[in-house]
Amino acid sequence: MIQKTNAARLLDAAGIGYELIPYEVDEDHLEASHVAAELGEDIDMVFKTLVLRGDRNGLFVCVMPGSLEVDLKVAARISGNKSCEMIHVKELLPLTGYIRGGCSPIGMKKPLPTFIHESALLYDRIYVSAGQRGLQLRISPGDLINYTGAGIYPI
């Protein structure tokens, strides 16, 4: 039986439907392409959760398809910053409660402004981390957007 994560319990409490999908973790390959291959899904349906720090507004989250890299200029603009950068991996756990390869846009220590790539709307369901390595949430993008209060942007 799959152990429910905090992200899954939060979705349960909100009455939002999802599926927990396990996959084989490879510590040397935590990137979305590996997750997509393990799931047997298109990499554009497997979304990664990136935490960035803006020069004006502090921390924010970009949820991106696994095949894309974040455009820092666009990310800064949509988040109301002049510039931004990815946070250092050492900061991820203390700031979010999650580790690299297991960072979910749901259930971070503090809610952060969240921006989801517009391509999520092309699919009935997308995958995001369930909050631990080896487990993905399969969820409606609309439900994810509504739950997180995310903006939709061409990040």
Side-chain angles (χ1 to χ4, degrees):
M1 186 170 135
I2 299 170
Q3 187 98 26
K4 285 212 172 171
T5 62
N6 188 44
R9 287 189 290 277
L10 289 167
L11 292 173
D12 287 345
I16 295 173
Y18 64 89
E19 293 172 76
L20 286 173
I21 312 290
Y23 67 93
E24 195 66 37
V25 177
D26 180 341
E27 297 293 332
D28 295 326
H29 300 283
L30 297 173
E31 59 279 339
S33 57
H34 173 75
V35 176
E38 286 294 317
L39 296 173
E41 291 286 2
D42 183 331
I43 190 164
D44 290 328
M45 293 176 67
V46 177
F47 282 66
K48 54 192 175 186
T49 304
L50 307 175
V51 182
L52 297 97
R53 179 178 286 113
D55 65 331
R56 293 181 176 165
N57 299 328
L59 298 175
F60 66 99
V61 176
C62 290
V63 181
M64 313 263 318
S67 62
L68 297 180
E69 294 300 319
V70 67
D71 181 326
L72 294 176
K73 285 188 170 97
V74 174
R77 182 174 45 79
I78 63 170
S79 62
N81 291 286
K82 252 191 166 14
S83 65
C84 67
E85 61 186 12
M86 296 280 295
I87 65 167
H88 194 279
V89 72
K90 290 185 307 206
E91 296 179 282
L92 193 60
L93 182 60
L95 292 174
T96 68
Y98 292 126
I99 60 171
R100 181 173 173 257
C103 187
S104 179
I106 299 164
M108 291 189 184
K109 283 184 174 182
K110 299 189 328 197
L112 297 174
T114 300
F115 303 94
I116 297 178
H117 192 272
E118 63 189 356
S119 66
L121 299 174
L122 299 173
Y123 304 102
D124 291 337
R125 298 266 182 265
I126 60 170
Y127 295 86
V128 295
S129 175
Q132 69 184 43
R133 291 177 182 167
L135 197 58
Q136 291 280 300
L137 283 168
R138 188 170 181 250
I139 189 170
S140 150
D143 286 343
L144 180 63
I145 291 160
N146 290 338
Y147 183 82
T148 60
I152 295 291
Y153 293 95
I155 305 168

